[in-house]
Amino acid sequence: MHVLVCEDDELIASGIVAGLTAQGFTVERVATAGAARAMLRAATFDIMVLDLGLPDEDGLKLLQQQRSQGLEIPVLILTARDSVTNRVDGLQAGADDYLLKPFDLRELAARLQTLLRRVAGRRVNLIEHGRLAYDPSSRETFLGGQPVDLSRREQALLQALLHNKGRVLSSEQLKDSVYGFNDELESNALNVHIHHLRRKLGNGIVETVRGLGYRLGPADGGEDAP
Amino acid sequence: MHVLVCEDDELIASGIVAGLTAQGFTVERVATAGAARAMLRAATFDIMVLDLGLPDEDGLKLLQQQRSQGLEIPVLILTARDSVTNRVDGLQAGADDYLLKPFDLRELAARLQTLLRRVAGRRVNLIEHGRLAYDPSSRETFLGGQPVDLSRREQALLQALLHNKGRVLSSEQLKDSVYGFNDELESNALNVHIHHLRRKLGNGIVETVRGLGYRLGPADGGEDAP
DNA sequence: GCGTTGATTAACCGATGATTAACCCAGGCT
DNA sequence: AGCCTGGGTTAATCATCGGTTAATCAACGC
């Protein structure tokens, strides 16, 4: 899922990018309406997150203009102003949903998922790997067809691994994708989560590369009990 | 989109008709409750705009009576009175949204769009889910064939969940569908209603997804007492 | 064998949701 | 009008779960 985030505030933007990346989205971020326009021309996106208070141009203007040019992807508006007028204007201009700042990252992710599903109610991005299947949109994990209950951190971990099939991820990298970039964590919490993952999905899923980190096990082998 | 506008003031009515027509709506306009009744009998509408200050009959009376007869299209109420009581009355009587006079035409159009979008796809008459059945037109709920008495909020909650089978709805999203957009609610009222729902329908109906929200339980399992 | 690295386990803590009770308000009834 | 009832909201308390920590154990490399 390709998301275009248009937000000028550095702090907020980095939060969004980190959060959505952790949720399995591929995120491009721009800070101005001009840049957004360029990005929209250059690539195709599945959904867009648009802040209204941009430096160079009113976000609504941008939206309206893009809509009139045939932009059809769902757009979620971020706004700090909480007046009714703005909300109405937003919907009128072609927004599909809105979120008032400050907002919860999980809330944002949830709304994006809902929007995506509304447009195309299918299971698009089911990630499969051997007996394992993961659906980011419903946040469901299946092992040999059976649903498996994973906690938030376990999911994040699994996603990071699935997104980098075959590659070795260092603890630092994993930490970045499971926690934000900011959080400091000085403990073996990651180890513990890896352990939980293995317990739930079988030992073959996560491979240890001593001294370097972890990587996803081979798709075929690595059954639970060999 | 077929809209029924029930408004006695000529000036306002013509404004609405002009505005909505320009927006692409097909508009029928009547000036009295009696005429509205006739129209509703004669044709099918997608949405209704209802003024409360009608000459022959109270608009709320009309709404209530129509609702009790199975009218299920969204109804937006127009009212000159600005007391909170009236708004509550309106929602109670079965309105889906309300607008205070004087209002902005764009706002009216935007609200109608929102209403339509909210109910789009909910055209089926009986929603079934495992032992559970819900009839939106009569607003009746059945569990294993037995009617269950649900309060207004409980119904709204159940409806929102049924309308999004399998999806996780955040409390924000649920709040939006149970309460209007405007009402601010800073309490765990939703939790309480969920609790009531479970008490009445059994624990399997509503699933908690920790940190994310709630979703409808699986259709098969989740009996009351396993 | 020794040290380092990762695995495992149990304990603790905080966050989140569930539960319950009290209160408030509106509507219906007398 | 005044009372009564019931749903809705608030708030306070309880329970549970997940996350982190830390301590111990096993494996691997030297």
Side-chain angles (χ1 to χ4, degrees), chain A residues 151 153 179 185 187-189 192-193 210:
Chain A
S151 79
R153 300 269 122 115
Y179 308 86
L185 173 75
S187 85
N188 64 343
V192 178
H193 292 311
R210 205 178 173 83

Side-chain angles (χ1 to χ4, degrees), chain A residues 49-83:
Chain A
V49 176
L50 176 63
D51 178 32
L52 287 193
L54 294 175
D56 56 340
E57 184 180 337
D58 185 85
L60 283 185
K61 279 262 174 59
L62 172 67
L63 174 57
Q64 222 155 12
Q65 179 253 329
Q66 288 295 321
R67 283 285 191 230
S68 74
Q69 293 192 10
L71 183 77
E72 287 187 348
I73 61 171
V75 173
L76 185 148
I77 277 184
L78 298 180
T79 174
R81 332 168 202 169
D82 62 337
S83 81

Side-chain angles (χ1 to χ4, degrees), chain A residues 28-191:
Chain A
E28 312 293 340
R29 182 249 166 167
V30 296
T32 65
R37 239 185 274 275
M39 282 303 271
L40 286 171
R41 217 178 304 119
T44 64
F45 293 89
D46 301 293
I47 197 165
M48 178 174 178
V49 176
L50 176 63
D51 178 32
L52 287 193
L54 294 175
D56 56 340
E57 184 180 337
D58 185 85
L60 283 185
K61 279 262 174 59
L62 172 67
L63 174 57
Q64 222 155 12
Q65 179 253 329
Q66 288 295 321
R67 283 285 191 230
S68 74
Q69 293 192 10
L71 183 77
E72 287 187 348
I73 61 171
V75 173
L76 185 148
I77 277 184
L78 298 180
T79 174
R81 332 168 202 169
D82 62 337
S83 81
V84 171
T85 352
N86 277 296
R87 183 179 292 167
V88 170
D89 286 349
L91 294 174
Q92 189 94 11
D96 298 85
D97 205 353
Y98 67 90
L99 208 49
L100 299 181
K101 294 184 192 174
F103 55 87
D104 186 285
L105 262 179
R106 288 185 241 157
E107 182 66 33
L108 175 61
R111 297 241 180 179
L112 290 185
Q113 297 288 8
T114 306
L115 277 183
L116 283 171
R117 204 150 9 200
R118 190 149 75 195
V119 172
R122 64 268 143 96
R123 177 164 294 180
V124 241
N125 40 358
L126 186 73
I127 306 174
E128 289 186 82
H129 182 81
R131 320 195 311 123
L132 190 69
Y134 179 72
D135 181 0
S137 61
S138 65
R139 300 188 173 79
E140 285 172 307
T141 305
F142 301 90
L143 184 66
Q146 293 304 309
V148 185
D149 238 13
L150 294 188
S151 79
R152 199 152 47 97
R153 300 269 122 115
E154 288 157 7
Q155 270 179 38
L157 214 40
L158 178 60
Q159 252 186 111
L161 289 168
L162 281 170
H163 262 220
N164 298 283
K165 287 187 185 179
R167 227 163 309 167
V168 177
L169 295 176
S170 71
S171 317
E172 270 310 307
Q173 288 173 304
L174 287 175
K175 200 164 81 183
D176 277 357
S177 39
V178 173
Y179 308 86
F181 292 99
N182 313 311
D183 279 322
E184 266 324 305
L185 173 75
E186 215 37 65
S187 85
N188 64 343
L190 262 178
N191 279 336

